[in-house]
Amino acid sequence: PALLQMSGSQPQVGRGVPCLRCRGLCTGFEPHSWRKICKSCKCSQEEHSLSSELDDDRKIGRLLSDSKHASLTARLKGGDGVRIYKRNRMIVTNPNISGKDPTFDTITYEWAPPGLTQKLAMQYMELVPKELQPVAGTEGAFHRRRRLARQLPLHDQDPAQCRGLAEGEQQLMQEFVKRYKAEALGVGEVALPGQGGGGKEEEKPQDKSIDPGRAPESPNGALESAGGHYRCESCQQPVPGDCPVVYAERAGYARLWHPACFVCCRCAEPLVDLIYFWKSGAAWCGRHYCESLRPRCAGCDEIIFSEDFQQVEGLAWHNKHFACLECETLLTGKPFTLANASLLCTTCSQSR
């Protein structure tokens, strides 16, 4: 099926994949034992584009399974019960009648909001900045996959992917993941203003953290004081009634966003495939939501579940990962320098 097809334009997985940032200076990805970086060039795994489309769909499938959004996943044939993301691709065919015989231009969007007519989905895409539209083979598709790797790291949801967990911490992480799936995880819904949630506001749960002193709002994003006009929750600009908007069920259907305004409150990056985590009256990407609850190790990039860890200048490390980036010497109780979140012992710092 189309869902499981691998894109021929993707670099092959494994050692030898060049680093995008180093522009040919890196000979190929050489995995580090516990850091999520290349041993050769020190750039992240994301810079080497190591995940395949199938890997990405498996990852989102894992995230959304056991949540209220499990309907966006399907069981993988022969996959031992593994669920995979039913990513909604959209193929648009436009006739090109400039020549004698009409030909057809086919454009494939690697992701589009599900459950919409093609006309409404295309309207949505036109409201997204062109450089971010996930058209296959373009920068927009590449940026989508980079954001996916950055915002939804596999090691934030799968204890088996973590090297920093001590004995007994696997259970803590499993509970952490179970809790965020139940309390925060959501997938935005695209609809015309007033039609979010099928227009049934009274049946939808409201976010408990809405300021009680805030002006009352009528259902589905229509501000009472605005005489039926709709306003974007983020930029507060009016939204025409015929323009698709994003709703977040956990925010309540009194709020809506322009497609380009549905971003993480911490990093301001567009939320990949509209996957959000709701906390303190705002939408977060997965990475920054997890970091808002527990510290993240600057060495291995994993969430820290131990109460005993190293902390310097607002950054945190597992005790066993508080080490020199170059020679791996443990630096607890020793002099070191810190530059761009990287630790160096005095010897390696002087030789740089």
Side-chain angles (χ1 to χ4, degrees):
L3 177 68
L4 304 185
Q5 281 175 0
M6 303 288 283
S7 167
S9 63
Q10 297 303 326
Q12 64 183 51
V13 176
R15 190 166 176 160
V17 178
C19 176
L20 299 165
R21 182 180 286 177
C22 294
R23 300 293 178 194
L25 297 176
C26 172
T27 54
F29 184 74
E30 190 180 345
H32 189 278
S33 57
W34 52 266
R35 298 183 194 270
K36 310 291 188 295
I37 62 170
C38 172
K39 210 171 178 182
S40 168
C41 67
K42 305 290 192 291
C43 288
S44 70
Q45 290 180 353
E46 299 157 38
E47 302 295 347
H48 292 78
S49 289
L50 284 187
S51 67
S52 67
E53 285 188 3
L54 182 56
D55 289 336
D56 289 346
D57 289 342
R58 282 174 184 266
K59 177 170 76 171
I60 300 183
R62 182 188 176 96
L63 176 67
L64 299 181
S65 63
D66 306 320
S67 81
K68 59 166 69 175
H69 301 286
S71 61
L72 293 175
T73 69
R75 208 171 288 283
L76 190 60
K77 271 189 178 177
D80 300 327
V82 172
R83 298 193 75 85
I84 191 166
Y85 179 38
K86 290 193 294 187
R87 175 162 50 94
N88 185 48
R89 283 198 180 118
M90 179 170 69
I91 299 172
V92 180
T93 304
N94 297 314
N96 179 2
I97 47 177
S98 58
K100 209 172 186 182
D101 299 313
T103 56
F104 293 91
D105 292 330
T106 300
I107 299 171
T108 301
Y109 290 87
E110 292 196 348
W111 172 85
L116 305 182
T117 63
Q118 189 172 93
K119 182 185 174 186
L120 196 58
M122 282 303 299
Q123 269 185 279
Y124 169 89
M125 285 301 175
E126 284 160 14
L127 294 169
V128 173
K130 190 155 183 66
E131 66 275 13
L132 296 179
Q133 294 175 13
V135 175
T138 68
E139 280 289 304
F142 170 69
H143 281 306
R144 173 190 167 269
R145 298 192 59 217
R146 282 284 299 278
R147 286 203 312 278
L148 199 158
R150 182 86 186 138
Q151 293 180 13
L152 303 171
L154 188 55
H155 48 271
D156 279 8
Q157 54 164 306
D158 184 1
Q161 301 295 322
C162 297
R163 305 285 175 87
L165 293 173
E167 197 176 337
E169 288 177 0
Q170 282 87 349
Q171 184 65 35
L172 288 174
M173 181 170 180
Q174 284 168 355
E175 288 166 9
F176 177 80
V177 173
K178 191 176 178 182
R179 195 176 307 123
Y180 74 54
K181 285 190 181 189
E183 297 175 3
L185 176 64
V187 180
E189 171 192 345
V190 176
L192 290 173
Q195 295 180 16
K200 296 180 180 177
E201 167 67 7
E202 66 279 0
E203 296 177 12
K204 299 293 175 178
Q206 287 291 312
D207 171 41
K208 304 289 191 295
S209 62
I210 292 176
D211 181 356
R214 205 172 153 156
E217 295 170 334
S218 70
N220 304 306
L223 294 177
E224 294 281 15
S225 58
H229 293 297
Y230 301 95
R231 286 189 183 277
C232 172
E233 179 70 20
S234 177
C235 70
Q236 294 300 310
Q237 293 301 305
V239 179
D242 60 352
C243 273
V245 293
V246 179
Y247 283 98
E249 184 185 6
R250 289 190 186 272
Y253 287 87
R255 299 176 176 190
L256 51 75
W257 287 260
H258 288 116
C261 289
F262 194 59
V263 301
C264 170
C265 68
R266 174 66 61 85
C267 62
E269 282 283 313
L271 292 159
V272 68
D273 293 14
L274 305 181
I275 298 168
Y276 69 91
F277 292 74
W278 191 257
K279 182 190 170 196
S280 304
W284 303 63
C285 71
R287 169 174 289 274
H288 290 119
Y289 172 80
C290 290
E291 287 176 15
S292 76
L293 301 177
R294 301 281 325 169
R296 185 181 296 279
C297 177
C300 71
D301 199 50
E302 294 169 15
I303 298 298
I304 299 174
F305 290 93
S306 168
E307 296 307 320
D308 181 22
F309 57 92
Q310 299 292 325
Q311 214 164 1
V312 180
E313 294 183 15
L315 296 172
W317 287 263
H318 289 107
N319 288 332
K320 61 185 175 184
H321 294 159
F322 193 68
C324 175
L325 178 66
E326 298 293 346
C327 68
E328 303 293 345
T329 301
L330 284 175
L331 296 172
T332 307
K334 296 178 182 175
F336 62 85
T337 60
L338 178 64
N340 298 325
S342 296
L343 294 167
L344 292 171
C345 68
T346 48
T347 306
C348 291
S349 176
Q350 286 163 9
S351 66
R352 267 195 165 189

